[in-house]
Amino acid sequence: MLQLRWSLLRPLQGVCRNPRRYFAHKNLLELTDRGFFQGIFPDTAAPKIKQLFTSGQQSIYAGFDPTADSLHVGNLLVIMGLLHCQRAGHRPIALVGGATGLIGDPSGRKTERNQLGESIIESNLKAIEQQLTRVFENHEKCLWDNRKNSTPLQPLTIVNNAEWYANLHLIDFIANMGRHFRMGSMLSRSSVQSRLESEDGMSFTEFTYQIFQAYDWLHLLRKHNCCFQMGGSDQTGNLMTGHELISRVERKREVFGMTLPIVTNEEGDKFGKSAGNAVWLDENKTSPFALYQFFLRMPDSEAEKLLKLFTFIPLPEIEQLMQEHEKEPEKRKAQTLLAEDVTLLVHGENGLKQAERVTNALYKGKVDGLAELNYAEIKQTFQGAAVVDLLTEPGMSILQLAMKAKCFPTETDAVRIINAGGFYVNQKRVQNIAEVITAGIHILRNGVSLLRVGKRNFYIVRWQ
């Protein structure tokens, strides 16, 4: 039945061939069944939150500081949260921290962030805004069907907190807002405590971060009627500070925090960039192929959890899929579907096609997929590979090609490794060092040859 449903949906796709999968609840707390929310604040507010979500449209925001020129998969769950808000008919707001990015959030960090210049912050902001816009566009185009949902999606609103801090006077801000913060509560936050106890301590700059995030929420409440803030569980202290500020300044207004789990691998390491293993959402930093492979290679023990977190597939269908997966785990059905949906969301249909073409070429022997990539896509996919420009010469041999591309330090090494079967041209092993280079076999129709020595050393030859 699962496969039949997908095949019936395929003709309806329009631009995107991937099936649209429907999952939306007005009451976002239903996402708890998917392991989506780690907690809510205040912790007794579930009935009130449910009543608000089911009675009308709500505004919900999450923040993204421009600490790098790209978001990463560690941010993706928060983006998924905003997409779920949008699917449920609510209004998603993404706050980019043009001001708070200059301060640096101490949450989850052992040391203070390096200070970034305003020009770098500005460049990072533009990149992040473009990424957020692209992801929401990919979602609507590839993973949402307007014919199934009569109410159109609420557009993503992107705001930059530099806009309101630029007009605030320091003394006025401290006089009017500072009186509502309590030092005892601020010092008790786990993000503050862990840093105060560390060898490097905590700067006043970092300590003020929770003040500005709290004021951000107050500003959005007043301007956008935003009663909900969503963030990772490491943001709990900042959310609580915002709640306390609003409860004192806007006594008749109620606001609520919703925290998401920090996604980790089996070893408990974060997917985020601070862990040193970042998988970026920028295709120039992590190619669509690399993103696809990252999720395709997830262990079986992680597949069900990540399907619930990073796709919109209904829970009964995930359960059925996992049952099929367990019967034939070697086919990696669960991971394949996970990789497809995430790549579609981040890079769209063209990105998914590119990732699948390279995957088929590298792991399934379908070299034609490499020929469909242009030079820029090949270079992007095989990041770090040496790039060599060569002139075509009649009668050039495999050995000559390998030496001109500088695949081997000496000709003796080349002869030995090629004869032993350790040299590949366009993913096909070649062992005859005298074999002549020919178009269509050794040179793809896009004018590129992909050379490989061993398992991981790639060389891209661009023929002139």
Side-chain angles (χ1 to χ4, degrees):
M1 287 298 293
L2 190 64
Q3 188 63 42
L4 175 62
R5 184 182 73 85
W6 294 348
S7 62
L8 287 174
L9 283 171
R10 286 185 185 273
L12 303 176
Q13 295 319 297
V15 176
C16 277
R17 61 168 173 74
N18 205 64
R20 302 183 194 271
R21 301 174 178 118
Y22 313 108
F23 176 84
H25 281 299
K26 293 290 290 183
N27 177 18
L28 291 177
L29 292 185
E30 296 286 346
L31 292 171
T32 303
D33 295 339
R34 301 175 75 90
F36 207 82
F37 289 123
Q38 185 158 320
I40 60 172
F41 186 84
D43 55 12
T44 58
K48 179 64 176 181
I49 292 175
K50 179 179 178 180
Q51 184 268 325
L52 288 172
F53 278 144
T54 55
S55 62
Q57 182 186 105
Q58 301 297 320
S59 294
I60 303 157
Y61 101 90
F64 304 89
D65 275 345
T67 54
D69 59 359
S70 173
L71 299 173
H72 50 82
V73 294
N75 304 119
L76 193 55
L77 190 62
V78 178
I79 298 174
M80 288 293 296
L82 291 178
L83 286 167
H84 276 295
C85 296
Q86 187 187 51
R87 294 169 72 90
H90 304 300
R91 182 187 179 194
I93 300 173
L95 182 151
V96 291
T100 47
L102 292 168
I103 297 171
D105 185 359
S107 302
R109 294 189 59 87
K110 297 179 181 179
T111 59
E112 188 167 1
R113 298 178 188 272
N114 294 327
Q115 187 173 12
L116 300 177
E118 290 188 20
S119 61
I120 295 176
I121 290 286
E122 188 64 29
S123 176
N124 291 351
L125 282 170
K126 291 179 180 178
I128 290 172
E129 288 177 14
Q130 290 171 358
Q131 283 184 354
L132 289 168
T133 299
R134 185 178 67 245
V135 168
F136 274 75
E137 288 175 349
N138 289 339
H139 164 259
E140 184 168 7
K141 182 185 293 184
C142 300
L143 295 166
W144 181 258
D145 192 340
N146 288 326
R147 290 166 295 185
K148 273 276 187 176
N149 302 274
S150 57
T151 303
L153 293 171
Q154 291 295 314
L156 172 68
T157 299
I158 299 179
V159 296
N160 183 346
N161 59 13
E163 295 174 3
W164 50 88
Y165 287 117
N167 298 318
L168 284 178
H169 296 286
L170 176 61
I171 298 300
D172 290 342
F173 181 75
I174 294 176
N176 295 323
M177 288 294 124
R179 67 181 69 254
H180 299 293
F181 293 93
R182 295 293 177 265
M183 291 297 298
S185 297
M186 294 176 67
L187 287 167
S188 70
R189 307 304 183 209
S190 59
S191 59
V192 174
Q193 285 291 313
S194 61
R195 290 295 299 280
L196 290 177
E197 295 170 0
S198 69
E199 182 178 346
D200 293 332
M202 184 181 203
S203 71
F204 174 74
T205 299
E206 287 184 298
F207 182 67
T208 65
Y209 186 91
Q210 58 180 303
I211 294 176
F212 290 101
Q213 184 167 330
Y215 185 78
D216 285 344
W217 194 357
L218 175 61
H219 175 85
L220 293 178
L221 175 68
R222 288 171 169 175
K223 185 169 182 178
H224 298 282
N225 193 30
C226 182
C227 298
F228 292 89
Q229 182 181 173
M230 183 182 294
S233 58
D234 58 350
Q235 294 295 307
T236 300
N238 293 332
L239 267 66
M240 292 173 69
T241 301
H243 184 275
E244 290 176 1
L245 172 64
I246 292 170
S247 68
R248 294 188 177 104
V249 176
E250 301 283 343
R251 297 180 183 276
K252 296 182 180 181
R253 306 293 298 276
E254 287 187 282
V255 294
F256 311 92
M258 308 170 77
T259 60
L260 314 177
I262 302 299
V263 184
T264 60
N265 58 23
E266 280 188 310
E267 290 75 36
D269 297 325
K270 292 170 61 175
F271 284 170
K273 60 182 174 62
S274 60
N277 60 344
V279 177
W280 302 94
L281 305 190
D282 183 341
E283 63 181 7
N284 295 312
K285 295 168 76 73
T286 298
S287 69
F289 164 71
L291 179 71
Y292 181 89
Q293 286 293 319
F294 175 77
F295 284 95
L296 186 65
R297 293 174 181 175
M298 285 294 157
D300 290 345
S301 60
E302 297 288 296
E304 183 174 4
K305 176 186 76 174
L306 296 180
L307 279 168
K308 292 177 179 178
L309 294 177
F310 292 111
T311 78
F312 303 104
I313 305 172
L315 290 178
E317 294 185 18
I318 292 178
E319 182 179 353
Q320 184 177 347
L321 174 62
M322 294 308 302
Q323 291 174 357
E324 293 184 10
H325 174 83
E326 290 172 4
K327 294 176 183 177
E328 298 176 300
E330 69 281 359
K331 292 186 176 181
R332 304 185 75 76
K333 290 182 179 179
Q335 290 94 332
T336 298
L337 194 53
L338 172 65
E340 286 180 357
D341 272 25
V342 174
T343 307
L344 260 183
L345 184 64
V346 176
H347 296 298
E349 178 71 3
N350 289 336
L352 176 58
K353 286 180 178 178
Q354 177 185 331
E356 290 178 331
R357 284 197 297 263
V358 178
T359 297
N360 289 336
L362 292 183
Y363 302 113
K364 299 181 181 179
K366 299 179 180 179
V367 184
D368 288 346
L370 289 177
E372 296 177 16
L373 302 177
N374 59 39
Y375 168 71
E377 290 174 327
I378 289 178
K379 187 177 179 181
Q380 176 191 87
T381 298
F382 298 96
Q383 293 170 2
V387 179
V388 183
D389 289 326
L390 293 180
L391 292 172
T392 54
E393 299 176 14
M396 181 185 292
S397 69
I398 289 292
L399 178 59
Q400 290 172 324
L401 169 62
M403 295 308 297
K404 285 179 179 294
K406 299 181 179 180
C407 298
F408 303 97
T410 68
E411 188 170 302
T412 301
D413 291 323
V415 172
R416 174 176 56 82
I417 293 175
I418 293 173
N419 286 336
F423 187 62
Y424 299 78
V425 179
N426 300 330
Q427 291 305 100
K428 291 184 179 180
R429 178 182 284 141
V430 291
Q431 293 179 268
N432 181 3
I433 60 174
E435 184 178 352
V436 175
I437 302 299
T438 58
I441 298 176
H442 305 105
I443 303 176
L444 299 173
R445 63 176 179 268
N446 54 12
V448 174
S449 296
L450 183 69
L451 313 182
R452 175 163 63 91
V453 180
K455 292 183 177 180
R456 293 186 177 87
N457 296 321
F458 286 95
Y459 301 80
I460 301 169
V461 174
R462 182 170 57 175
W463 296 94
Q464 306 297 313

